[in-house]
Every structure is written in C-alpha cells, then in structure tokens.
Amino acid sequence: MGNKNYDETDQVTSWTEVILVYNAALKEIGTKLEILSDEFQHVHRYNPIEHIKSRIKTSESIVKKLKRHGYESTIENMVQYVNDIAGIRVVCSFTSDIYRIAEMLSNQNDIKILSIKDYIKNPKESGYKSYHMLVSIPIFLSDRVVDTKVEIQIRTVAMDFWASLEHKIRYKFEGNAPQHIKTELVECAKMVSDLDARMLSLNEEIQSLIQGEEKKA
C-alpha cells in the first residue's frame, strides 16, 4: 500500500515535527529555485536570483501571532492558522525577474498555490513592496506525505533594503514610529520604486544593444 496523504493538521503533533517538516519544505523550495536559476543561467546567460534567504518562525513569534488573532497556543492551531512558519525570500535584480520567478514556480506540478498578494502593484500604506506567494508542497516522510505551507516573498534588492530598514524601525518603536519617520519612509519607498524602474529600463537598453552587436557579428 502506498503512502497516505493527509493535510498538516492531521500529522504534525509536536514542535519537533513542526521543525522537521517545515525545514524539509524550505529545502524543497530552495532546491527548486536553485535548479530554475541554473537553468536560466544556462539558457539565457543571466541569473535572475541575487540571493535566497530562508527561516523558520520561532515558537515565541508563532505564539504571539496566535494570541493576537485570538487562538490558543496549540500545535494544531500553529499549523492551521500561521501561514508563515516557513518563509523563504528570493531577492532579484529587476522587477521583471519577480514575475518571471513567480511564474516558473507556479508551473511546478507539485507546488499548489494557496494565495498570492501582489504588494508591488498594490503597495501597503507604509510603502512596502514585495510579491508574496503562499504555497503548499508535499513532504515525503517514511510513512506518510505531509502537505506543508511555505510563504515565498520575491522582491528586488532595492525593495529588500527598504523593507529591512522599515522592519528595524517598526521593531524599535514597537509599531508606533513618529509620523515624520513614517512619512520619510513612504518617500524613500517612492525613490526605491523609481530606482527599480530606471534600472530595469537601463538593463533592457543594454540587452538590446548587446543583441544588436551579436547579430552584426
């Protein structure tokens, strides 16, 4: 008889299993991204991914999030209601790379897209921009298959720099930063957006010139 396939809430019964299963999910997604990057480099002589960061949310952070939403601190609630226990961040050079990578991941047969939040086309009020995908991927254990959620964030280097600073400020002021700092962050976000657009345009012009030279050769 083949492996049974359940959802996460039926199978993950301890914090040790949470760590095991979600670490495995991060490895699976990370490997897929590396393979896609290698293939892209081979076919297009260009690597769309600058770097990849991954993390498992701490138990303290998960408990805080559950309490904030009115849930008891149980393993079942963790798995069911906290979607970003496993998180992976993909940092790209250009905005066009973001949608290219998202499409490549969506085309993988064993990745199930649960939800998408496009904060690039629809930035948060703070100025935050990023492309979020919540996906599910099967993790094959010795006696069962666990469908495991991973939150994937895809953003440019400039967006990542802004988000890193904004996170530090939010943490420092516990979400209550002075208004003039919030206003300055929004202005910086606009500058980041303009920089991304100009760098993309410049890159496209360079690629066009290179292709023109290659055709002449």
Side-chain angles (χ1 to χ4, degrees):
M1 187 178 289
N3 286 358
K4 282 190 172 184
N5 189 11
Y6 302 95
D7 65 27
E8 296 163 292
T9 54
D10 290 332
Q11 301 169 78
V12 183
T13 57
S14 70
W15 180 245
T16 306
E17 281 191 335
V18 168
I19 296 296
L20 170 70
V21 170
Y22 284 96
N23 263 322
L26 287 179
K27 288 177 184 176
E28 289 276 5
I29 297 292
T31 299
K32 286 177 177 295
L33 286 164
E34 287 174 9
I35 291 169
L36 289 170
S37 181
D38 289 346
E39 182 203 11
F40 211 85
Q41 179 75 43
H42 174 71
V43 175
H44 302 284
R45 291 179 294 171
Y46 165 68
N47 190 345
I49 298 174
E50 289 288 333
H51 56 267
I52 300 168
K53 303 175 186 175
S54 62
R55 63 103 183 97
I56 298 289
K57 207 173 186 71
T58 64
S59 56
E60 291 83 6
S61 294
I62 295 170
V63 168
K64 281 182 183 177
K65 193 162 191 175
L66 285 172
K67 284 183 177 177
R68 197 162 62 242
H69 293 283
Y71 297 113
E72 288 185 34
S73 301
T74 65
I75 296 293
E76 184 177 349
N77 284 346
M78 285 181 183
V79 171
Q80 187 168 352
Y81 298 114
V82 183
N83 292 328
D84 61 345
I85 292 177
I88 193 160
R89 184 176 303 146
V90 186
V91 179
C92 315
S93 298
F94 307 104
T95 48
S96 56
D97 294 331
I98 293 171
Y99 295 101
R100 189 177 287 124
I101 290 164
E103 183 181 10
M104 289 192 293
L105 285 172
S106 299
N107 290 336
Q108 301 263 328
N109 289 335
D110 57 344
I111 291 181
K112 181 181 179 183
I113 308 296
L114 301 178
S115 68
I116 288 174
K117 293 179 181 177
D118 190 343
Y119 294 117
I120 297 169
K121 291 180 180 175
N122 301 290
K124 289 186 179 181
E125 190 176 340
S126 64
Y128 175 85
K129 282 190 170 187
S130 188
Y131 190 91
H132 291 197
M133 301 173 73
L134 180 62
V135 306
S136 176
I137 187 166
I139 299 302
F140 291 82
L141 301 177
S142 60
D143 60 345
R144 64 201 191 279
V145 183
V146 186
D147 292 318
T148 308
K149 289 181 287 190
V150 178
E151 184 190 64
I152 305 169
Q153 298 178 356
I154 315 173
R155 58 179 69 152
T156 64
V157 175
M159 289 175 196
D160 192 51
F161 174 62
W162 183 95
S164 177
L165 178 61
E166 190 267 348
H167 177 77
K168 288 173 185 173
I169 290 171
R170 184 156 33 90
Y171 182 80
K172 175 96 173 167
F173 291 99
E174 297 181 344
N176 295 307
Q179 186 57 47
H180 73 278
I181 290 179
K182 292 180 181 178
T183 302
E184 187 68 18
L185 276 171
V186 171
E187 289 301 313
C188 286
K190 291 175 183 175
M191 292 168 68
V192 164
S193 183
D194 182 53
L195 176 63
D196 271 334
R198 291 176 69 176
M199 293 298 282
L200 175 61
S201 177
L202 182 60
N203 182 63
E204 288 174 345
E205 184 178 349
I206 291 167
Q207 294 303 317
S208 178
L209 289 171
I210 290 171
Q211 289 171 7
E213 290 298 322
E214 286 177 347
K215 285 180 181 178
K216 290 178 185 177

